[in-house]
Amino acid sequence: MELFEALRNRRAVRDFTEQAIPDDVLMKLAYAARRAPTGGNTPYRRILVVNDRKTIRLIRQVSPGILGQPTALIVIFTDLEVTRELGKLGNLCATIDAGAAAENVALAATDLHLGACFTKSYSEAGVKEILNIPDGYRTEVMLQLGYPRMEQPKSMRPRKGADATYLNRFGRS
Amino acid sequence: MAEEEPLTSSEYVYDLATYLLTSARGCIEEPLLYGPLRLIEALSRLVTISQYAPCVKKDEFLIAAKRKIDQNKYVVMQSEEEFTKFLDSLIKEFTVELKRRNKLD
């Protein structure tokens, strides 16, 4: 799939079939996440792939934003100690870069005929406890993953003002 | 993939409890409209109780309501107005059913 086709086809997919994602496909998604940049090439980003059914079920229980039944999750999180290398900007850059990694995963998922959805509505304390993520790390975003059910919600209509794009000066196009 | 074992009634209650608890925490920081979304999702999950607790009779009206909720809940991310309309229409159906169950005209 061409990049622009993936950009056009990407959706927030929340309903999945029970079909498991093969390990090699999950590793491709993790690779896509790793290909995203980090500020100053600072190694603060961590990626955790979850495909254990029981663990996913537990995470779902502390994640009100998971409304369907994903068969895998990718959690992108940050080593807060390492962000200090970038000074005060490190904290913000880590979040921005997690978003870049997550979008890479979403586009790769589209290319691989998988569905993906960014999730932030989860309990930080609960997810860290289930995944044994120690203090000193902050989760940034979680991706729900799976094979989409045939009947997907339609593409969201862009809301008024969304992605207003200007040329050279604010307000000009 | 192996079939997932069905939940026991205790697991069902515990799952719902953790959903409600984490929703309560999330509502402190999440958009205002996610509160109604969490409640309506809780209703949808509550309706399945008859699968886990044999003493609770299957209620076809509630099962139909669950279907409508699951089909319409994502509207919240598109339009507050449409989501509100959906909730109002569901409330009307519940009220008509309430009257019917209480034999009121």
Side-chain angles (χ1 to χ4, degrees), chain B residues 6-87:
Chain B
L7 298 182
T8 65
S9 56
S10 302
E11 285 170 334
Y12 167 78
V13 170
Y14 201 87
D15 284 1
L16 190 59
T18 47
Y19 173 78
L20 291 170
L21 174 65
T22 53
S23 292
R25 173 63 182 85
C27 281
I28 295 170
E29 286 147 3
E30 289 178 350
L32 191 66
L33 266 182
Y34 281 23
L37 174 65
R38 301 298 177 230
L39 287 171
I40 204 80
E41 173 68 13
L43 195 166
S44 170
R45 294 185 187 195
L46 185 62
V47 166
T48 62
I49 191 170
S50 58
Q51 292 173 30
Y52 310 104
C55 58
V56 180
K57 271 175 61 182
K58 202 170 160 183
D59 188 316
E60 292 302 335
F61 175 82
L62 290 178
I63 290 168
K66 173 182 169 51
R67 267 198 299 273
K68 287 177 193 166
I69 290 167
D70 292 346
Q71 282 166 5
N72 288 283
K73 60 193 175 191
Y74 299 118
V75 169
V76 71
M77 289 165 209
Q78 281 190 300
S79 164
E80 178 177 344
E81 192 184 342
E82 284 179 34
F83 185 61
T84 307
K85 269 188 202 165
F86 164 65
L87 291 182

Side-chain angles (χ1 to χ4, degrees), chain A residues 53 57 61 121 156-157, chain B residues 1-2 15 30 38 74 78:
Chain A
R53 215 175 166 129
R57 195 177 85 73
Q61 294 319 308
S121 292
M156 296 275 179
R157 281 195 311 271
Chain B
M1 178 181 278
D15 284 1
E30 289 178 350
R38 301 298 177 230
Y74 299 118
Q78 281 190 300

Side-chain angles (χ1 to χ4, degrees), chain A residues 1 10 26 46 72 74-75 79 83 90 96 116 122 150 161 167:
Chain A
M1 190 181 290
R10 193 193 69 77
L26 280 175
R46 304 287 180 269
I74 289 183
V75 183
D79 183 332
T83 64
I96 292 169
Y122 56 80
M150 291 301 285
L167 184 63

Side-chain angles (χ1 to χ4, degrees), chain A residues 23-95:
Chain A
D23 288 352
D24 62 319
V25 174
L26 280 175
M27 289 308 109
K28 281 185 181 174
L29 297 177
Y31 169 79
R34 288 196 301 272
R35 291 299 301 155
T38 57
N41 197 29
T42 315
Y44 41 59
R45 189 169 52 221
R46 304 287 180 269
I47 295 152
L48 202 161
V49 179
V50 184
N51 66 351
D52 174 65
R53 215 175 166 129
K54 193 169 184 180
T55 307
I56 293 170
R57 195 177 85 73
L58 295 186
I59 289 177
R60 186 174 181 266
Q61 294 319 308
V62 298
S63 304
I66 301 181
L67 299 172
Q69 308 277 357
T71 53
L73 303 167
I74 289 183
V75 183
I76 299 172
F77 60 111
T78 297
D79 183 332
L80 296 172
E81 181 65 31
V82 180
T83 64
R84 293 189 187 147
E85 288 181 23
L86 274 186
K88 287 181 182 175
L89 266 184
N91 217 3
L92 178 61
C93 285
T95 302

